[in-house]
Amino acid sequence: SDAELKQLKDLQRANSLIQNHNVLVEHMYTADPSAHVFNGTMYIYPSHDIESKNEINDNGDHFAMRDYHVLSLEESTGKVIDHGVALCVDDVKWASKQMWAPDAAHKLGQYYLYFPARDQQGIFRIGVAKSDSPTGPFKAEDDYIQGTFSIDPAVFEDEDSSHYLYFGGLWGGQLQNWQTSNFNEQNIYPKPGEPAIPARVAKLSDNMISLSEDVKEVVVLDESGAAITVCDNHRRFFEGPWVHKHNGVYYFSYSTGDTHKIVYATGDNPYGPFTYQGVILNPVLGWTTHHSIVKHNGSWFLFYHDSTLSGGQTHLRSIKMAKLEHDESGKIKTISPYEQ
Ligand code: FUB
């Protein structure tokens, strides 16, 4: 089958790449790195990948993660420190399993960890946990953030100190089950030619643990101003939203899922619409690709993951980083992860 052929090709590529994997940590598997600079230090909030006996399927059952570790990095070339377990699913009342891609934010001496997990009914929701340290341990709120659903939270802090929570992911991430305001057991996709299913965004309240407004759709347009359509798999949103701001422009970037790219679109405000611009990261080894973009000491960095260290096992990933460049017109230079 196509899937078996891809796995075989991935394994062959892994064998040739394993010698020079340059992963950031080797003592555990890590993925979905959300990086932030807090008080001058770079902190990384990744998923903590683990072995699983679950079937490998489009529902993502093989991603059975249970906890989070926070990592820090003093210099972009420095050693990565693992600060240990920051939050475990057993300590989150509303969650049952699958602690997927998290993110974090800082406000007035408090740190907030945002994370998706399945609730007791198996529906993905987004929760929040607090700490007075960027490395945790974090204490989870008793319930998930009302109004949230699906996966992959990403928090963007604008220059006026407003915080925006982006989220969403297709297939196992259940975004296709939220075409109305209630969870629908059935997967509902738009018809060919119709606009793609969008990521979602809402401003966070001052308390950082609730939404201050209704959830809105994040629309991505093509060069003619039309919404990217559902069958445009090389450009439509799949999962892993992230926003950064450069020279006053808002950059909305995300994974295209089954075409395995990180792409970006630009806009003039945090809600969009955003206009598609191009590819940030070409496909990595493994099915998923997930990133974050952060500025540290005047330079921009891309954090991402691949499955090199595990020999191509798609649910056992490792985080990496690369320098990211905006050219004079604001375009991001495409990164090809295995080319020097
Ligand atoms: O790590 C589990 C899922 O895989 C994430 O939520 C997605 O973004 C993908 O990386």
Side-chain angles (χ1 to χ4, degrees):
S1 71
D2 279 358
E4 283 165 340
L5 198 62
K6 175 156 187 346
Q7 189 154 20
L8 187 67
K9 280 190 180 157
D10 276 355
L11 281 171
Q12 286 168 343
R13 267 173 82 201
N15 283 337
S16 64
L17 290 168
I18 202 94
Q19 301 303 328
N20 59 349
H21 44 68
N22 73 320
V23 301
L24 289 179
V25 283
E26 296 194 23
H27 64 284
M28 61 179 174
Y29 290 110
T30 51
D32 309 323
S34 293
H36 290 276
V37 176
F38 296 137
N39 301 321
T41 298
M42 201 145 34
Y43 294 95
I44 311 167
Y45 298 85
S47 299
H48 175 198
D49 282 358
I50 52 172
E51 302 276 355
S52 153
K53 293 198 171 65
N54 296 346
E55 184 196 353
I56 297 179
N57 56 28
D58 287 348
N59 206 31
D61 290 344
H62 47 308
F63 295 101
M65 298 86 98
R66 294 183 45 80
D67 64 22
Y68 298 111
H69 288 228
V70 180
L71 308 174
S72 67
L73 189 57
E74 283 301 331
E75 289 298 326
S76 56
T77 50
K79 197 172 156 12
V80 176
I81 299 165
D82 174 6
H83 297 271
V85 176
L87 181 68
C88 177
V89 67
D90 296 339
D91 299 319
V92 183
K93 283 192 185 141
W94 62 267
S96 60
K97 60 180 178 181
Q98 290 183 303
M99 303 283 266
W100 285 10
D103 193 18
H106 171 228
K107 185 175 176 182
L108 302 174
Q110 277 279 300
Y111 296 84
Y112 300 86
L113 183 71
Y114 299 87
F115 58 96
R118 285 184 190 260
D119 69 8
Q120 305 297 339
Q121 282 73 47
I123 299 175
F124 269 111
R125 302 285 188 172
I126 291 162
V128 59
K130 294 195 264 191
S131 175
D132 53 15
S133 161
T135 57
F138 288 87
K139 180 157 179 11
E141 295 295 299
D142 287 349
D143 207 352
Y144 58 81
I145 303 174
Q146 296 306 301
T148 65
F149 49 88
S150 195
I151 58 166
D152 291 358
V155 178
F156 166 69
E157 180 180 357
D158 208 346
E159 281 157 299
D160 66 358
S161 299
S162 301
H163 289 83
Y164 298 85
L165 177 69
Y166 297 81
F167 58 91
L170 293 173
W171 297 13
Q174 301 178 336
L175 196 53
Q176 70 282 356
N177 303 101
W178 289 95
Q179 301 286 57
T180 61
S181 51
N182 292 317
F183 181 80
N184 189 327
E185 291 279 346
Q186 273 187 322
N187 292 334
I188 301 175
Y189 291 97
K191 295 195 187 72
E194 289 183 350
I197 298 175
R200 304 293 207 277
V201 61
K203 202 176 196 173
L204 285 165
S205 305
D206 282 345
N207 66 15
M208 298 292 277
I209 60 171
S210 61
L211 305 183
S212 74
E213 60 184 7
D214 288 345
V215 169
K216 295 167 176 44
E217 300 188 341
V218 183
V219 175
V220 180
L221 306 173
D222 67 14
E223 58 288 350
S224 74
I228 298 272
T229 59
V230 63
C231 294
D232 190 347
N233 297 36
H234 286 273
R235 298 191 297 177
R236 61 98 170 82
F237 173 80
F238 187 94
E239 62 186 1
W242 188 262
V243 169
H244 74 279
K245 195 174 181 182
H246 173 64
N247 287 346
V249 175
Y250 294 81
Y251 289 71
F252 175 66
S253 45
Y254 52 93
S255 161
T256 60
D258 53 353
T259 51
H260 315 288
K261 294 173 194 161
I262 300 291
V263 299
Y264 76 106
T266 55
D268 62 9
N269 73 84
Y271 297 104
F274 297 94
T275 303
Y276 181 85
Q277 299 295 339
V279 176
I280 294 178
L281 180 68
N282 277 324
V284 296
L285 183 72
W287 198 96
T288 68
T289 185
H290 190 120
H291 76 303
S292 65
I293 294 168
V294 69
K295 195 176 191 178
H296 186 233
N297 290 343
S299 299
W300 286 98
F301 295 94
L302 174 78
F303 284 80
Y304 65 102
H305 69 225
D306 77 4
S307 295
T308 314
L309 187 64
S310 70
Q313 296 189 70
T314 213
H315 61 296
L316 296 178
R317 302 159 291 180
S318 301
I319 60 166
K320 297 184 164 185
M321 67 189 290
K323 212 110 186 246
L324 179 131
E325 288 170 49
H326 302 82
D327 73 13
E328 275 170 16
S329 68
K331 280 251 170 205
I332 296 178
K333 204 172 145 193
T334 304
I335 295 170
S336 293
Y338 308 111
E339 284 168 22
Q340 295 300 329

